[in-house]
Amino acid sequence: MGDSIGLIFGLPGQGMHLRLDALSVLFGCILLPQVLAAALSGMRSSISFWVFVLGMVLTLLAGDAFTMIFGFELMSAASWLLVLQGDRKPATLYGGIAIFSGACLIPAMFLPASSLAFVLVALGAGAKAGLAPLHSWLPRAHPAPPAGVSALMSGGMVKVALYVLIRYAFVNLASAQQPWWGEVLVAAGALSVLIGSLRAFLEVELKTALACSTVEHVGLIAVGLGLALRAKAMGDDELTGLALQAALLCAVAHGVFKPLLFIGAGEVKHAVGTTSLNWLGGLMRGMPRLGVLMLLGVVGMAALPLGPGFAPEFLLFHAVIGAAATGGILARIGFSALLAALGIGAALALSAAVRFIGMGFLGRPRSLHAAAAEDARRGPLLAMALLALLAIPIALVPRLILDLMNPVILLLAPQARPPVLTYEPLVLLLLALLAALAAGFVQVRWGVRGLREVPAWNGGFGRPPAWLPFGDPHTQSSATGFAEPVMRVLGGGLLGATMTDPAERFLLSPLARLRMRLVRLAERVRRATIRERLAFVFMVLVLFLLALGLGQGG
């Protein structure tokens, strides 16, 4: 633990306290490059943006419950203002989630270490992080503000919420830990992975698809944290270390490539006027620098080898396999099902990445605005280049990053034994380069010399008219058509016949109906006559006396 620094303002007689330890340093390092990138992308003149940053920093440095709540609520209020400036409609839902999150966290932080405190923290922090089933606000709210704010909300704010969950579940409530705490997080994380990855593949708007991908990655982090909590409560030190490695490295990697992609999506909106994949295409020609940087980010989102997202999922799959060897037959069945769910999520994430690049940046332009798009502005390109540069060590030397995170793991689980990572990306990179050189040598030595241009087969369509110099866009697949097979196979099972998020059908819609009933009841009470109101008060008084008498008699 780090030393605490007292501030003169705060609660009367107590003030506020700041503390710096290994966990807050790690999440501060995740947050810092995102703040710089968001400022470079055009947010440095926004007062609400800097208040938002201040709230996140206060939460990470909080040395007492009041400071953490103050920072968390300041972060929520400032981000709500930023969402409100972008779109009023999702701001209402986001405001409700922020209020719910605070209502759960405030009592939890003043309760003694217990399962009730954990449940309240998991609900409050999980709702703010976008963990299923309290996630449906995130794909609506994150795309609403400017791209720099979207990047910081998706890459930074959700990490701050997860920081609160980690701090309380592993440190402040350590004396009351139970294995089922981890099982709850694993179940919520698996649901987030399935819903987030499926919706990321089906969504047409770039920023909405990226927000759904954030739900998926929050689920992956929650699965790792849940496995670590369960293993720590059961005394499995090696599995605890492995699961914490997976969760924390996933948080680091996601905090780099997801803001990069959000800033890039904002530049696509600035250049083309839309982020709908059905109206993009061919952007790699007009926006080559942006396209290369987006490709690097998509490699991380898809968790491809030699990308920043591969090592965390590599560790997470190994942790799930290790957890399947613990417990009885039900545990083996459950973790085997979890492995299958993570595999489906990984396949959907890869498909979403292919659709993202293929429909948006490759092929022919689907609109005149896409055909005339110019490359991104200097500031956002610098921000994306900074994040891409930071992604290189995560992708190529993840063992070094894991070694730097060992103090964090030992803070969260002092008995943990983090294993040595067996994945060697530098060796894979060397083998890939040797294979490419060998293929180039064969092509030069024995390949057919000269080039011959032939018209590409266009599926039987006729020659495009002269006013379509890039070809007829209707002769290539649309983003909606590309997703149609997966929608038919998986969409009906997870999203229902109406293709709506399960959280909206089973949580938000019933809550909306309950709200309307309460509004009607309140309106009926308001219109009641004086006789009806006196009768109501008399009935409540009789019931109260009856209950009091039964209690004394018992």
Side-chain angles (χ1 to χ4, degrees):
M1 289 289 184
D3 295 331
S4 178
I5 301 175
L7 302 178
I8 60 174
F9 47 87
L11 287 177
Q14 294 185 8
M16 299 172 65
H17 298 84
L18 304 181
R19 177 185 56 197
L20 192 66
D21 59 13
L23 182 61
S24 53
V25 167
L26 173 63
F27 279 82
C29 291
I30 295 174
L31 184 63
L32 177 60
Q34 299 179 45
V35 174
L36 293 176
L40 285 172
S41 67
M43 296 308 303
R44 57 182 175 273
S45 60
S46 171
I47 297 177
S48 299
F49 169 78
W50 291 113
V51 174
F52 179 38
V53 173
L54 175 63
M56 290 189 286
V57 172
L58 269 180
T59 306
L60 296 181
L61 297 180
D64 57 73
F66 172 77
T67 307
M68 180 170 285
I69 285 294
F70 180 79
F72 197 88
E73 294 305 312
L74 185 63
M75 173 186 74
S76 298
S79 58
W80 176 79
L81 283 176
L82 292 165
V83 172
L84 185 65
Q85 293 171 7
D87 189 353
R88 290 180 176 272
K89 191 173 181 180
T92 302
L93 176 59
Y94 177 53
I97 288 293
I99 293 172
F100 171 80
S101 180
C104 291
L105 287 176
I106 290 173
M109 292 187 178
F110 297 98
L111 286 174
S114 62
S115 294
L116 175 60
F118 168 76
V119 169
L120 290 174
V121 169
L123 286 173
K128 195 67 175 178
L131 188 63
L134 302 172
H135 68 280
S136 58
W137 66 271
L138 195 150
R140 298 183 185 183
H142 280 203
V149 178
S150 298
L152 194 55
M153 288 180 69
S154 196
M157 186 180 73
V158 298
K159 303 301 183 308
V160 173
L162 289 171
Y163 164 86
V164 174
L165 176 61
I166 294 170
R167 169 73 67 185
Y168 273 81
F170 283 90
V171 181
N172 294 13
L173 305 179
S175 60
Q177 282 175 352
Q178 300 292 329
W180 67 264
W181 292 11
E183 293 165 3
V184 168
L185 288 182
V186 167
L191 184 60
S192 299
V193 168
L194 287 175
I195 295 176
S197 59
L198 178 60
R199 286 198 58 188
F201 180 71
L202 298 180
E203 291 291 341
V204 174
E205 293 290 334
L206 283 186
K207 290 180 75 174
T208 305
L210 291 174
C212 293
S213 175
T214 295
V215 174
E216 179 216 353
H217 283 92
V218 168
L220 292 173
I221 298 171
V223 169
L225 294 176
L227 292 174
L229 264 180
R230 179 179 180 272
K232 183 183 177 184
M234 297 177 65
D236 192 335
D237 300 332
E238 187 170 350
L239 181 58
T240 302
L242 177 60
L244 281 174
Q245 282 183 330
L248 296 176
L249 189 59
C250 187
V252 172
H254 181 261
V256 172
F257 66 75
K258 188 55 64 67
L260 185 154
L261 292 171
F262 264 107
I263 294 173
E267 287 306 291
V268 170
K269 178 70 176 290
H270 179 265
V272 183
T274 181
T275 56
S276 174
L277 289 171
N278 286 331
W279 293 100
L280 301 180
L283 294 181
M284 194 66 79
R285 294 188 185 93
M287 312 177 78
R289 292 180 294 178
L290 178 72
V292 170
L293 291 171
M294 293 291 278
L295 182 61
L296 293 176
V298 163
V299 167
M301 188 178 85
L304 293 175
L306 301 180
F310 181 79
E313 294 203 25
F314 178 84
L315 291 168
L316 186 61
F317 274 85
H318 278 73
V320 175
I321 293 171
T326 63
I329 185 64
L330 291 179
R332 294 176 182 271
I333 294 174
F335 286 114
S336 299
L338 174 63
L339 200 62
L342 294 181
I344 294 172
L348 288 171
L350 176 60
S351 302
V354 171
R355 180 171 176 259
F356 189 98
I357 287 293
M359 299 293 109
F361 288 84
L362 303 180
R364 293 189 293 274
R366 294 176 175 84
S367 65
L368 292 177
H369 290 288
E374 298 180 354
D375 216 339
R377 295 165 292 179
R378 183 168 178 242
L381 277 178
L382 286 175
M384 296 175 68
L386 169 66
L387 295 170
L389 188 65
L390 293 175
I392 294 176
I394 304 173
L396 299 182
V397 284
R399 184 181 294 182
L400 175 63
I401 307 299
L402 291 174
D403 289 340
L404 294 175
M405 290 194 303
N406 276 338
V408 183
I409 295 173
L410 294 178
L411 170 65
L412 301 179
Q415 306 301 322
R417 298 199 310 269
V420 178
L421 180 65
T422 57
Y423 166 59
E424 294 288 352
L426 287 177
V427 176
L428 290 179
L429 179 62
L430 179 61
L431 292 175
L433 291 176
L434 291 175
L437 290 174
F441 175 77
V442 171
Q443 175 65 27
V444 172
R445 181 68 179 81
W446 293 287
V448 177
R449 300 185 182 278
L451 297 174
R452 184 177 57 155
E453 293 187 4
V454 295
W457 185 69
N458 62 357
F461 288 88
R463 184 182 296 276
W467 60 83
L468 291 174
F470 297 104
D472 189 350
H474 293 293
T475 61
Q476 59 182 342
S477 176
S478 67
T480 303
F482 188 88
E484 183 69 22
V486 173
M487 184 184 296
R488 291 183 178 182
V489 174
L490 295 177
L494 286 175
L495 303 180
T498 57
M499 293 297 165
T500 56
D501 197 299
E504 296 186 12
R505 282 186 293 152
F506 299 115
L507 185 62
L508 292 185
S509 295
L511 286 176
R513 290 193 294 268
L514 177 61
R515 185 195 64 176
M516 290 304 300
R517 290 176 182 173
L518 292 176
V519 168
R520 290 170 185 161
L521 178 61
E523 182 66 18
R524 184 175 177 182
V525 171
R526 187 183 71 84
R527 295 183 177 183
T529 64
I530 186 64
R531 183 177 299 177
E532 291 173 336
R533 295 184 184 184
L534 289 174
F536 176 74
V537 171
F538 178 75
M539 183 175 61
V540 170
L541 181 60
V542 169
L543 291 175
F544 173 75
L545 293 174
L546 180 61
L548 186 62
L550 290 175
Q552 290 180 351

